[in-house]
Amino acid sequence: MSVELTPAQIAAKEVFLSVGFDERRASDTLKNEVLTKQLLDIITEAGAQNGTDKATGNALYTIATKIADSPHRSVVVRNVAEKKLQSAEQLKAALAFVQKVGAGELDLAKFETESGVGIVVADEEIKEKVSAALDENKDQLLAQRYAFNTGKLLGQLRKDDRLKWVFDRVSVAITAEIEARLGPKTEADLQAGKGKAKPAASSSSSAAPAAAAAPAKAAVVLTRPEGAFTRIRLADIGSHQGEKVQVKGWIHSIRSQSKLIFIELRDGTGFVQTVFGGKLSQAVGVESLLRETSIEVLGTVAKPPEGAYAKWSGLELQAEYWEIVGASDGDLEDKFNKESNVSLLFDQRHLVIRQEKVANYLRLRSVISHKIREHFYERGFTEVTPPTLVQTQAEGGSELFSVPYFNEQAYLTQSSQLYLETTIPAVGNSFCMLSSYRAEESRTRRHLTEYQHLEAEMPFITFDDLLNHIEDLICDVIQRVLDSPYGALLKEINPNIAVPKRPFKRMNYTDALKWLEENNVQKPEGGFYTFGDDIPEMPERKMTDTINEPIFLCRFPVEVKAFYMPKCPEDKRLTDSCDLLMPGVGEIVGGSMRIWSYDDLMAAYKREGLDPSPYYWFTDQRKYGSVPHGGYGLGVERLLVWLFNDNHIRNVCLYPRYFGRCSP
């Protein structure tokens, strides 16, 4: 059923169509109000509100989905509008550069160099360089004709400082030049290439899905071979070289070449290149081998032939038998592709998570959670499980999700801290890792409405003890992950990851105000931040990214922190509180000492206008053997964003929950 558009949506759609969007993309974009507004702003910024070519429109759309909130967005928009970033390679490099800089200062000269700004390569130059490269391989080309492997040639040309920015056109030029030199395909060429099919799209590709090539002969009915085949996981394939094995998994990608079918098979633990040759490539059902088809394969684990390359383990599975376990529809590319907007990708998250990068994130997240628990267990902490349905608030009431609880009012917890405090007289140091919820109408790159909250409480500590413990947690967990079998995977995702240098920089709130003024960082409405202001994300990120090391920002004013934080003995305007700020992300930990005086807690209730009655169980901790104590909360997803060097918190979640999304 069609949905009637508002006048504003109709006007927006006309703008989208004028910049080259097709009907589907225009309609999909309108479903996302935030993206629509950001895209309209960017189109206006580019001076394209009255129309432009499709390539520019696509580039502006990509900017909106990748760096809409970046302070350096305008630099990219301007260069796209001025036709100085024309190719997909140039735009990709520009976006990566801006994402890496974050809120830090952008070196314009370096940006232009690393993004190929202003480099325009004429067709004549491409043709000339392609022709010269083919001349060097003339004998091989004439001998192999259309079977000539262009991969080496492409690798050679990619090293050219100018051609690397127009590589999509280089590939087309190679094909055209080969056809010009060899002329039309002969019958011999056609026979040599018989059965050859275009490779199927990988999980992140936008190309149409492909099945295996149709068999050249009558279809063969396969017979299951006799003998023992050991069932293995692909994660363990390296220890089974030369053995006959059974593997079950999903087709990640598929391509046909001559009489062979090459399948990248995935089982959730790893990947292997699987080769179907001879009758296996001509078997009944071969046309049904599509991406995400689940199959069983029997075969031998072996090294690939001399000169061939097998990704992942360096081994391949030479199949002797296969059968389909579960068929896959041929409409996967209709679900999403690399051009799909963010909203559509999260609508299809159940399929997107099958991509290698996302699956690696999920795998590493599990490892990191395990290493966090190892850290706490080895330091004598007890894990507890406080309730997530509560009737009190730990932070601000405006951020609570209300839940009807029979005949009472309840809320989804903002934090388990208050309950953790009650456990320390029972078990000593305690921690939990549960979901917390914040009803914030925010779509920033570091906010979620549901997130994994690592929280800990410790009795008989000082403020310095608290900072030292948080520092130890961060460094120890990173070291444990790097020392684990998954350390190489983390390094592959983020080559620059390293254990931070200790001790972390410690800076008081008042010193941060001075830094912002000295570096001319002002409020959006003008003027500098003064005592009592809550320093928001952008100036905080600017400071952290510029200093470029972990920072403990300490001793915030009473009025900007929660009711349970004690005042500093040396300055009653301040609290014994801290935030841990990481470059590229900002705050990942918030902590403090806790009020442990009964009278001070009652005064805090009164100051904040809170009724003490629902907190009787929390107040009792101050009546029965109260002690100095402190704790903190760490946003696990924010830690992951920093570890993975990703640019958005939603990317590290299985199914993110944020303002405007609660499905699938």
Side-chain angles (χ1 to χ4, degrees), residues 134-150:
L134 283 171
D135 285 344
E136 294 176 8
N137 295 270
K138 180 172 57 176
D139 293 341
Q140 188 178 3
L141 175 63
L142 292 175
Q144 297 178 354
R145 292 185 59 79
Y146 283 98
F148 175 73
N149 189 337
T150 59

Side-chain angles (χ1 to χ4, degrees), residues 559-600:
E559 55 265 35
V560 301
K561 285 298 181 180
F563 74 91
Y564 50 76
M565 297 187 182
K567 297 176 181 178
C568 295
E570 66 276 15
D571 188 340
K572 299 297 183 182
R573 301 176 305 160
L574 304 174
T575 56
D576 276 333
S577 56
C578 68
D579 287 349
L580 176 59
L581 313 178
M582 301 300 277
V585 181
E587 179 194 345
I588 68 167
V589 178
S592 77
M593 298 300 288
R594 315 307 193 192
I595 291 176
W596 64 288
S597 159
Y598 175 85
D599 291 338
D600 288 349

